[in-house]
């Protein structure tokens, strides 16, 4: 094992917080990780990591080394890329939510491939947050707050969960003026992991909860959109999913004053310091394009977009 590899392992151990997790993420055996840290400590003549039964943290010497190691690894990656061919090539694997991927990521991928003819891209559209390491993914587009502190996330936009109905439905059933009235309306909902079927309202989603008996449950956004357009009831969907319908007038936004806080749209990657050039290029390209889309920003309460 070379010394640069030892440095990379040391940084990974600190990033993931345990020897075992670093071994899993790096696809190395736990003994190999332990030997690398021991070799590094022997070379520096100081303990670099404090280990307890529950946690792992750098010593003062370890923290100083980690800071310099990250810079060194970043410079090494830059040097490798600077000597590589200028034309991007190779496979890039990305993931995004199904509806978002179809509507916004697929067009970006087509544009990116046209600009870089030697690149290959594999898209895995899934409404479940796939693990980047386990699935061998380079980059994810996710909606919602990032819970994995071991990943790097960059907010690119935000979307709002809004209530919508068709003009035909409202003409027959009237427009609700308060969330409590929704219990007596026909509703369309996504399938839930629990049996509790309710919508929560207010900035922190705990101001008001309304229990519902939905007329239609579907795990497919397109089916929910079709149901709303055909007058089957009121649905709660993300603003980007209904932006075209709101603009066309085929849907009406309801109870905007009671909506929860917007959700961030984020780019997520395993790391930034050693991000390959092809990933960094797509990361920057996607950030620029998505941040320019008006439908990927939270709507004002008075908006009819």
């Amino acid at each position: 094992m070379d010394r640069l590899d030892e440095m990379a392992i040391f940084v990974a151990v600190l990033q993931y917080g345990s020897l075992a997790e670093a071994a899993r993420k790096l696809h190395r055996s736990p003994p190999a990780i332990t030997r690398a840290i021991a070799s590094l400590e022997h070379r520096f003549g100081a303990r670099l990591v404090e280990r307890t039964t529950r946690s792992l943290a750098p010593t003062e010497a370890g923290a100083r080394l980690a800071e310099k190691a990250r810079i060194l690894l970043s410079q090494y990656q830059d040097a490798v890329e600077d000597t590589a061919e200028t034309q991007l090539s190779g496979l890039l694997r990305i993931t995004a939510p199904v509806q978002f991927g179809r509507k916004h990521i697929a067009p970006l991928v087509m544009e990116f491939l046209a600009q870089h003819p030697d690149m290959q891209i594999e898209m895995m559209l899934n409404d479940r947050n796939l693990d980047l390491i386990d699935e061998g993914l380079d980059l994810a587009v996710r909606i919602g707050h990032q819970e994995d502190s071991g990943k790097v996330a960059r907010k690119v936009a935000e979307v709002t969960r809004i209530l919508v109905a068709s003009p035909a439905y409202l003409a027959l059933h009237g427009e609700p003026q308060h969330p409590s009235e929704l219990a007596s309306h026909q509703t369309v909902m996504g399938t839930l992991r629990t049996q509790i079927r309710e919508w929560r309202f207010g900035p922190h989603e705990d101001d008001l909860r309304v229990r519902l008996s939905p007329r239609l449950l579907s795990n497919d956004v397109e089916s929910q959109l079709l149901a709303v357009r055909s007058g089957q009831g009121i649905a709660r969907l993300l603003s980007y999913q209904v932006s075209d319908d709101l603009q066309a007038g085929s849907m009406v936004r309801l109870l905007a004053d009671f909506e929860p806080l917007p959700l961030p749209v984020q780019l997520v990657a395993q790391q930034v310091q050693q991000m390959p050039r092809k990933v960094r290029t797509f990361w920057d390209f996607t950030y620029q394009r998505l941040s320019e889309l008006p439908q990927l920003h939270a709507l004002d309460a008075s908006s009819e977009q």
Side-chain angles (χ1 to χ4, degrees):
M1 181 180 299
D2 63 38
R3 296 184 180 185
L4 191 64
D5 198 27
E6 288 179 350
M7 288 287 191
I9 290 174
F10 174 60
V11 170
V13 166
L14 297 183
Q15 178 182 356
Y16 300 120
S18 77
L19 299 175
E21 185 65 10
R24 189 177 77 85
K25 297 291 188 180
L26 296 176
H27 303 289
R28 305 287 187 92
S29 67
I33 300 297
T34 301
R35 287 194 299 271
I37 298 300
S39 175
L40 205 56
E41 289 180 330
H42 176 73
R43 183 173 300 110
F44 279 84
R47 181 174 291 276
L48 302 174
V49 177
E50 291 290 356
R51 307 171 184 83
T52 69
T53 56
R54 293 187 176 182
S55 64
L56 182 152
T59 62
E60 183 177 350
R64 291 197 303 269
L65 176 61
E67 182 178 357
K68 294 179 180 179
R70 292 187 182 99
I71 296 173
L72 176 63
L73 293 169
S74 179
Q75 291 175 340
Y76 172 77
Q77 185 66 33
D78 290 343
V80 170
E81 292 178 353
D82 286 343
T83 58
E85 294 183 1
T86 57
Q87 181 66 45
L88 294 181
S89 63
L91 175 65
L92 183 67
R93 305 184 76 242
I94 63 175
T95 183
V98 175
Q99 185 74 5
F100 192 91
R102 291 172 180 166
K103 190 176 182 67
H104 295 301
I105 301 303
L108 296 185
V109 166
M110 304 311 144
E111 184 180 354
F112 189 82
L113 289 175
Q115 294 179 8
H116 304 283
D118 291 337
M119 283 292 300
Q120 295 175 291
I121 293 182
E122 180 179 349
M123 289 194 302
M124 297 181 66
L125 302 185
N126 198 311
D127 289 328
R128 179 173 58 86
N129 286 345
L130 302 179
D131 186 272
L132 299 185
I133 293 295
D134 290 345
E135 301 291 341
L137 295 162
D138 297 297
L139 184 147
V141 180
R142 290 180 178 164
I143 298 175
H145 298 284
Q146 175 66 21
E147 297 179 356
D148 189 344
S149 59
K151 305 291 191 300
V152 177
R154 185 181 186 186
K155 180 181 175 182
V156 63
E158 58 184 17
V159 293
T160 311
R161 284 166 291 179
I162 65 177
L163 294 179
V164 291
S166 69
Y169 174 86
L170 297 176
L172 286 175
H173 302 278
E175 181 175 339
Q177 302 301 309
H178 190 272
S180 60
E181 299 175 29
L182 293 170
S184 60
H185 275 268
Q186 299 175 12
T187 52
V188 177
M189 297 184 70
T191 53
L192 304 175
R193 295 174 183 172
T194 68
Q195 295 302 312
I196 300 176
R197 294 175 180 138
E198 65 181 17
W199 283 334
R200 301 181 183 186
F201 297 88
H204 303 291
E205 298 187 72
D206 55 6
D207 295 340
L208 178 64
R209 301 185 181 190
V210 180
R211 291 290 182 93
L212 302 168
S213 298
R215 188 174 193 189
L216 173 68
L217 284 163
S218 175
N219 68 338
D220 176 61
V221 172
E222 286 295 338
S223 298
Q224 296 175 54
L225 291 170
L226 179 61
V228 176
R229 293 181 190 121
S230 62
Q232 298 303 313
I234 298 171
R236 172 179 265 181
L237 293 159
L238 294 175
S239 52
Y240 83 88
Q241 296 169 338
V242 298
S243 59
D244 293 341
D245 287 280
L246 291 176
Q247 187 172 14
S250 55
M251 291 186 190
V252 177
R253 186 181 184 186
L254 308 173
L255 301 174
D257 292 339
F258 297 92
E259 290 168 356
L261 293 174
L263 295 170
V265 179
Q266 301 186 92
L267 299 179
V268 180
Q270 186 64 28
Q271 56 187 346
V272 170
Q273 290 88 351
Q274 300 178 63
M275 185 181 288
R277 189 164 64 98
K278 63 182 179 181
V279 181
R280 165 63 73 180
T281 303
F282 187 80
W283 171 284
D284 292 338
F285 173 81
T286 303
Y287 179 85
Q288 179 182 351
R289 289 294 190 272
L290 292 183
S291 63
E292 293 171 349
L293 295 176
Q295 59 267 51
L296 295 187
H297 296 273
L299 301 176
D300 294 332
S302 59
S303 175
E304 292 294 328
Q305 295 180 16

